[in-house]
Amino acid sequence: MMRKKPWWDAEAQNTQGIENDDALLVLVTHGAKGTRISALGPDGLAEGLWLDMKLNDARAMLPDLKVATHDTVSDALLHKRLAHWLLRYSPSITRQSDDAFVIDVAGCTHLFGGERAMAHDVQKRLNHMGFTARLAFADTPGAAMALVGYGAEDVHILPSNSPLHALDVLPAEALRLDAETLTLLKRLGLKTIGDVRCVPRMALERRFYENKKSRTKSQSAGLARSVQWRLDQLTGAVSEPLTYITEPQLFRATKQCPALALEMGAVEIALHELLPKLCAQLQQAGIGARTFCLSGYRADGGVSSVEATLSQPVRDPDAIARLFKDRLDRIDCGFGIDLFVLAAFQVSILSDTQSDGFDTEKDAFSSNGIAAFADILTNRGQGSQALRLLPRQSHVPERAQRFAPVNTAIDWQAWAVAEPVWSPRPLRLLARPEPARVTAELPDSPPMQFIWRKRLHKVIRARGPERIMSEWWHDDLKAKRSATFRDYYDVEDEAGLRYWIFRAISDEPVEDIDDQVRIINWFVHGLF
């Protein structure tokens, strides 16, 4: 858990061009309650100023006070940039609030020499950029937030599996409760976490209800549940969901640069070293990845990244390196990169596939030459240059497929489970159904013969019908004459050719008569 100090925003604005001239600097915002201080430095706190203080009161205390408008937009962009910069320490970063980040460092601390060494590295780099921060390490996000907000030290490490009373000395505000609940706790004399934890929930609910008669029992029970919920999150009895800024990368490789990387050659060397390590992890897990991202973390706090996307899961270093070859110039080294991270996304089980005959021993790019060609075409272009057909949730044949970039991911196993059991489909589906003149023994009988493209075809075999309804949620399909429902037949003529034809049936109203007439039209839709 990392949290900025109250003067973080003032430091950030100083780094953006405001000179401090040894005068107290405060940032202010203008609102309905007047102009108030929204950020200040430690020197301002020492002089008796505080956050949300009226600017007029502050000027009365310090006439030489230096004031600047708080640029909240730039501040938000800075927080977002810092969150991505923290990915150098862990793949799981959460922006908890405007001034705090939760970092899941499980399995990452040994890369930096332990928790104390990691905390020292974070503070050193932030101090180099002109910022200060408080850090806390704990088993749960709730405990870390309590320590980082109300602990006595700038770096606090709570040992793993600490007893429940380890945080009892912290004030009740550390439970992250709303103002009304905190006020009630103080009225009841429950000022610390230890005081609150020792009161059973039923007793706390009763005290809440007795303290204010206008509050109903259900409201008192809700407040008591919120207190117990925060206590359970603090101790780990209830897990706290976290929303990460990026998808956590389960597979990634890192390279710490002994000297700052300033040239593109260093980026190529880093990629050459990281690819075998990452592919070894994928091979050990028996999976492949479809997206690889190379990120360079600069000494000035910036991050520059480049991605390569494939149409199928791959773990071949040569195949991945070839896609990165013409894209590494997108890495901006800036004032120097001190850490490279190569991560794999969209991982899935990698199964053996049959070669399509386009591979050569001299230039084998992957197990499928067509897919390799599509990957090169896609990664070299600015947009999606290679397309393929993917299934779509629709019973209407001409709507059952869609064009998508060749590197679009799809869960084929889930689709196979959801796919209905259809009758055989033709090898060739016409771009649009073409009209045909059909002769049938009865209106609901299979066709006996049909005329299509000015040729007569006598039917010797017919299989069907297969009724396909149009999507009820598409109004445009409802408006079409042939959109009510279709009866498809698989027919064979005397020449042995098979056709996929359908009878479109719709009921249309008759003018001046409160009745409907059934319209039947025949179409040829495909060839087997």
Side-chain angles (χ1 to χ4, degrees):
M1 174 71 189
M2 189 194 81
R3 185 171 188 173
K4 67 180 186 181
K5 290 189 176 181
W7 50 87
W8 179 293
D9 298 327
E11 292 174 335
Q13 198 136 334
N14 271 335
T15 62
Q16 296 175 6
I18 296 180
E19 298 179 358
N20 202 348
D21 297 336
D22 297 331
L24 288 180
L25 171 67
V26 296
L27 305 183
V28 297
T29 55
H30 310 280
K33 296 182 180 180
T35 303
R36 293 178 177 268
I37 297 177
S38 59
L40 73 163
D43 46 1
L45 293 174
E47 293 291 341
L49 305 182
W50 63 87
L51 293 176
D52 204 37
M53 181 181 184
K54 292 184 177 180
L55 180 60
N56 292 336
D57 296 341
R59 285 192 182 277
M61 296 175 57
L62 301 171
D64 297 333
L65 186 66
K66 188 173 182 180
V67 180
T69 302
H70 190 175
D71 189 351
T72 56
V73 175
S74 297
D75 193 28
L77 293 176
L78 176 63
H79 292 162
K80 182 178 180 180
R81 177 185 174 188
L82 179 63
H84 284 82
W85 178 81
L86 289 172
L87 288 171
R88 66 184 296 138
Y89 296 102
S90 170
S92 305
I93 306 294
T94 300
R95 288 186 62 182
Q96 188 64 27
S97 62
D98 292 338
D99 62 348
F101 303 93
V102 176
I103 309 174
D104 186 358
V105 297
C108 301
T109 54
H110 69 281
L111 301 175
F112 300 88
E115 296 172 343
R116 184 70 63 179
M118 176 185 282
H120 176 72
D121 187 71
V122 173
Q123 288 191 319
K124 181 184 69 173
R125 294 182 184 278
L126 289 176
N127 290 337
H128 180 72
M129 292 186 284
F131 301 120
T132 53
R134 293 169 57 88
L135 295 96
F137 295 82
D139 290 340
T140 64
M145 293 177 198
L147 288 171
V148 81
Y150 298 92
E153 303 176 3
D154 285 347
V155 177
H156 201 297
I157 300 178
L158 186 66
S160 182
N161 299 323
S162 296
L164 296 179
H165 58 79
L167 303 178
D168 284 354
V169 297
L170 298 180
E173 287 82 356
L175 291 175
R176 297 173 291 158
L177 299 169
D178 57 80
E180 180 185 3
T181 307
L182 287 173
T183 302
L184 285 173
L185 291 176
K186 290 181 180 180
R187 288 178 182 175
L188 298 174
L190 307 176
K191 299 181 179 180
T192 65
I193 292 180
D195 297 336
V196 178
R197 192 175 59 83
C198 294
V199 180
R201 197 189 80 176
M202 296 301 295
L204 188 63
E205 178 182 338
R206 185 175 62 254
R207 291 189 185 184
F208 280 171
Y209 180 67
E210 294 174 351
N211 184 262
K212 188 176 182 181
K213 296 300 182 181
S214 60
R215 185 179 298 106
T216 63
K217 288 186 177 181
S218 60
Q219 292 174 341
S220 301
L223 293 177
R225 283 195 298 268
S226 66
V227 175
Q228 186 62 43
W229 181 56
R230 287 301 190 185
L231 283 173
D232 290 341
Q233 286 184 338
L234 186 76
T235 58
V238 174
S239 60
E240 183 168 355
L242 300 175
T243 302
Y244 300 115
I245 60 173
T246 61
E247 177 188 355
Q249 310 103 38
L250 300 178
F251 299 91
R252 72 174 197 166
T254 61
K255 175 179 173 54
Q256 192 79 35
C257 301
L260 294 179
L262 298 171
E263 299 179 354
M264 194 54 54
V267 179
E268 296 177 356
I269 294 175
L271 179 64
H272 179 72
E273 294 183 7
L274 292 175
L275 272 176
K277 297 180 181 178
L278 182 61
C279 292
Q281 298 178 21
L282 297 175
Q283 185 174 7
Q284 185 177 4
I287 62 176
R290 298 180 61 252
T291 301
F292 295 85
C293 180
L294 178 65
S295 301
Y297 293 83
R298 298 195 298 263
D300 60 356
V303 182
S304 183
S305 304
V306 61
E307 287 188 356
T309 305
L310 299 99
S311 58
Q312 61 181 4
V314 172
R315 58 170 178 249
D316 181 12
D318 295 333
I320 305 168
R322 186 167 180 175
L323 296 181
F324 274 111
K325 182 178 180 181
D326 298 326
R327 303 168 64 87
L328 292 180
D329 55 352
R330 301 184 185 183
I331 295 287
D332 181 14
C333 295
F335 294 99
I337 296 176
D338 56 5
L339 178 69
F340 287 97
V341 175
L342 181 63
F345 299 89
Q346 299 182 7
V347 297
S348 59
I349 297 176
L350 183 59
S351 57
D352 295 333
T353 57
Q354 183 177 354
S355 174
D356 57 13
F358 283 81
D359 296 331
T360 62
E361 296 182 357
K362 181 179 180 181
D363 191 19
F365 175 54
S366 71
S367 62
N368 193 317
I370 294 179
F373 173 75
D375 293 337
I376 295 175
L377 192 64
T378 301
N379 285 276
R380 285 185 178 178
Q382 296 295 330
S384 300
Q385 305 295 327
L387 303 177
R388 67 170 176 174
L389 286 171
L390 292 181
R392 188 194 310 202
Q393 295 283 1
S394 176
H395 296 292
V396 182
E398 60 265 29
R399 291 178 173 268
Q401 291 179 319
R402 62 185 175 89
F403 281 104
V406 71
N407 53 17
T408 302
I410 182 172
D411 189 353
W412 291 104
Q413 294 181 350
W415 175 262
V417 173
E419 181 182 5
V421 180
W422 284 331
S423 299
R425 291 295 184 256
L427 295 177
R428 179 187 176 189
L429 191 70
L430 301 180
R432 59 180 58 86
E434 298 183 4
R437 295 172 55 188
V438 175
T439 302
E441 183 177 0
L442 295 173
D444 294 336
S445 299
M448 298 175 58
Q449 64 181 20
F450 63 94
I451 299 176
W452 175 57
R453 293 183 179 179
K454 300 181 180 181
R455 292 188 59 183
L456 176 64
H457 303 268
K458 293 185 178 181
V459 178
I460 61 174
R461 295 184 185 88
R463 179 171 57 184
E466 177 191 1
R467 177 156 292 185
I468 297 179
M469 304 292 294
S470 59
E471 301 103 328
W472 55 267
W473 58 89
H474 283 305
D475 292 334
D476 56 339
L477 278 179
K478 288 183 180 180
K480 294 182 179 179
R481 174 168 298 195
S482 61
T484 303
F485 59 87
R486 302 174 180 178
D487 288 337
Y488 278 85
Y489 290 90
D490 174 9
V491 301
E492 181 180 347
D493 64 4
E494 293 177 327
L497 301 178
R498 294 170 57 195
Y499 301 87
W500 205 39
I501 67 177
F502 69 89
R503 175 178 56 226
I505 305 174
S506 60
D507 296 325
E508 296 188 356
V510 180
E511 296 182 2
D512 302 329
I513 301 177
D514 189 12
D515 198 358
Q516 291 183 336
V517 60
R518 173 152 290 190
I519 305 298
I520 300 178
N521 295 298
W522 287 88
F523 299 86
V524 177
H525 204 174
L527 307 175
F528 286 91

